[in-house]
Amino acid sequence: MDALKKFWHGWQRFGRFIGNMVGRVILSLFYFTILAPFGLGATLFGDTLGLKKAAGSHWKERTTPAPNLDDARRQF
């Protein structure tokens, strides 16, 4: 019975080791094949703040509708 317990504990340690290695390999592959190229492309080609569109001022024009009584009654 002791031999089976030792084998079982050894097998669990081996399983944890293999699980950690497989997890690291899969996450590393995911990072270098999907996440890093997407982030690099978004950084190089993206304009999230809209800075490239504005020539002079970076302020955006605000358009407000004409005030009327119905909109004042329906605020939410």
Side-chain angles (χ1 to χ4, degrees), residues 29-52:
L29 286 174
F30 173 76
Y31 178 78
F32 287 112
T33 58
I34 295 173
L35 200 63
F38 177 77
L40 186 62
T43 301
L44 293 177
F45 301 114
D47 186 23
T48 56
L49 295 177
L51 297 177
K52 294 179 183 176

